[in-house]
Amino acid sequence: MRYRTLGGTGIEVSVHCLGTMMFQNGCNSDHDDCVRIIHAALDQGINFVDTADMYGQGESEEIVGKALRGRRDDIVLATKVHFQMGEGRNRSGNSRRWILKAVEGSLRRLNTDWIDLYQVHRPDDSTDVEETLSVLSDLVRQGKIRAFGCSTFPAEEIVEAHHVSERRGLARFRTEQPPYSILARGIEASVLPVCQRYGMGVLVWSPLAFGFLTGRYRKNQPIDLSTGRPTIRPERFDPTIAENGAKLDVVEQLVELAASIGCTLPQLAIAFTVAHPAVTSAIIGPRTMPQMEDLLKGAALTLDDATLDRIDEIVPPGTNLYNPNAPLPPRSLTDTALRRRPLADRAAA
């Protein structure tokens, strides 16, 4: 496994990050099996684990806490705050009141004294960003977190947060966690260039496009909307919807491309994300041991220019298939040198 520095933090993290959203009731609720998967990932060189308080209302954090006993010092641990936790008011959002309470809950469930990367899971229009940055800066000074970042923030809100940090003398967002895949390349236009400008680390989520790039969903084949991910967002998988039909057309082309270079579709999809020079790490979120083993088999996969050119033909740079009315692409999309690491530095292992 290769490692990259997480923004300007000096913290070295594996190019694959183990995401634990699937470790909860309704996905994989077998805690012992989840612990085995985490241990297997660590044994393969992954040192970066990402979770969130809202995954299973804390269940995922509890599983991660069990798995990291005796190995905490070797792991870069990331979690997130924002979404509703339990019933009642003021149990969500980015306010000082909630973050101070939420971090204590995460520390307890994770069975740790500190969190390496504490991320704001989504923007909160009801809370001044200065309020959020202020409490996160306090938590760094208290030693409860080492660094903090944001997740799924638009480029303009990342810029605003950095300006507020500079004006008010507060610590700043060190990372961004955006969705990124071959089917959702919109962040190449502005989010990734902004992160590069501010020296932020980037850990991308959903590199398999909510399961569309697993190879499980194919054109002209029945899609069961009653099990798995389609039960969460059936509108994303219903083949009668034109947008989904377009995604299935793309999947067929990508399956052919993956076969031509001797890899699986998921391996192709994840290798694509970590080839971008702005991306530090890609979050893989297996539910089972075989899923994780298959993904890690592709860790050493290097996508050459011809392969990346073909991907660009199938899904043009900056194109987000969930938004067909994308604006004209800036240079960050048209210049391949700005979207691809040197050939020798593209693989995760």
Side-chain angles (χ1 to χ4, degrees):
M1 184 63 60
R2 287 181 174 175
Y3 303 86
R4 296 171 180 169
T5 302
L6 189 63
T9 66
I11 301 172
E12 293 189 356
V13 297
S14 49
V15 177
H16 284 175
C17 172
L18 181 66
T20 64
M21 187 178 72
M22 292 292 103
F23 301 160
Q24 58 172 296
N25 186 35
C27 297
N28 186 345
S29 58
D30 184 334
H31 287 208
D32 291 338
D33 185 49
C34 294
V35 168
R36 285 191 291 269
I37 294 171
I38 295 172
H39 286 172
L42 303 184
D43 292 341
Q44 290 295 314
I46 288 179
N47 77 335
F48 197 12
V49 178
D50 177 77
T51 185
D53 58 3
M54 59 86 65
Y55 297 162
Q57 290 291 287
E59 184 179 9
S60 176
E61 287 186 327
E62 292 174 356
I63 292 171
V64 171
K66 293 176 183 179
L68 298 189
R69 287 173 185 164
R71 309 182 72 159
R72 177 67 185 91
D73 288 343
D74 299 323
I75 303 306
V76 179
L77 179 58
T79 191
K80 298 182 283 293
V81 60
H82 171 80
F83 286 106
Q84 184 75 24
M85 290 291 289
E87 298 180 359
R89 295 181 181 274
N90 297 311
R91 297 185 63 84
S92 65
N94 303 343
S95 69
R96 171 177 287 271
R97 185 184 194 276
W98 174 240
I99 288 176
L100 287 175
K101 184 174 180 60
V103 73
E104 297 297 338
S106 288
L107 288 168
R108 182 182 67 257
R109 289 186 293 269
L110 291 165
N111 192 32
T112 185
D113 294 327
W114 82 97
I115 294 164
D116 294 292
L117 178 63
Y118 198 47
Q119 300 159 100
V120 179
H121 213 153
R122 291 292 189 277
D124 179 1
D125 292 338
S126 69
T127 304
D128 193 314
V129 70
E130 181 179 350
E131 176 87 357
T132 304
L133 294 169
S134 175
V135 64
L136 293 172
S137 298
D138 289 345
L139 291 175
V140 171
R141 285 190 288 268
Q142 293 168 15
K144 294 182 178 181
I145 65 176
R146 299 294 186 254
F148 58 85
C150 50
S151 175
T152 320
F153 273 47
E156 62 271 18
E157 294 199 31
I158 296 173
V159 172
E160 179 189 3
H162 278 278
H163 285 176
V164 170
S165 294
E166 183 177 358
R167 289 198 309 270
R168 301 302 188 188
L170 301 170
R172 62 187 179 90
F173 286 137
R174 288 292 188 173
T175 62
E176 160 63 10
Q177 185 179 140
Y180 184 44
S181 71
I182 297 175
L183 301 184
R185 301 183 63 175
I187 65 168
E188 293 174 342
S190 56
V191 170
L192 292 183
V194 163
C195 289
Q196 287 177 295
R197 177 168 296 182
Y198 287 108
M200 298 173 68
V202 175
L203 49 157
V204 298
W205 60 269
S206 198
L208 299 182
F210 210 69
F212 248 88
L213 297 179
T214 63
R216 181 178 177 182
Y217 309 106
R218 301 289 300 275
K219 187 175 181 180
N220 298 324
Q221 294 184 12
I223 295 177
D224 186 356
L225 300 178
S226 64
T227 62
R229 286 183 177 270
T231 63
I232 303 172
R233 296 289 298 274
E235 71 277 7
R236 290 188 175 182
F237 296 88
D238 186 347
T240 65
I241 297 176
E243 182 179 272
N244 295 331
K247 287 187 284 186
L248 290 172
D249 287 338
V250 166
V251 166
E252 293 305 309
Q253 297 178 71
L254 294 174
V255 167
E256 181 179 341
L257 176 60
S260 73
I261 63 173
C263 71
T264 66
L265 178 58
Q267 290 168 357
L268 173 74
I270 293 174
F272 164 80
T273 64
V274 298
H276 195 292
V279 174
T280 310
S281 187
I283 298 173
I284 60 172
R287 181 176 54 84
T288 66
M289 186 74 78
Q291 288 176 354
M292 190 198 67
E293 290 172 345
D294 178 66
L295 293 173
L296 290 184
K297 285 178 183 177
L301 177 63
T302 296
L303 302 184
D304 60 19
D305 286 334
T307 302
L308 292 173
D309 286 342
R310 177 59 184 142
I311 291 174
D312 286 351
E313 292 173 357
I314 297 171
V315 182
T319 298
N320 190 338
L321 291 187
Y322 304 100
N323 175 19
N325 298 317
L328 293 175
R331 182 169 170 267
S332 60
L333 303 182
T334 58
D335 187 342
T336 59
L338 297 179
R339 295 185 285 102
R340 301 176 186 177
R341 291 179 178 272
L343 183 63
D345 191 37
R346 289 176 186 167

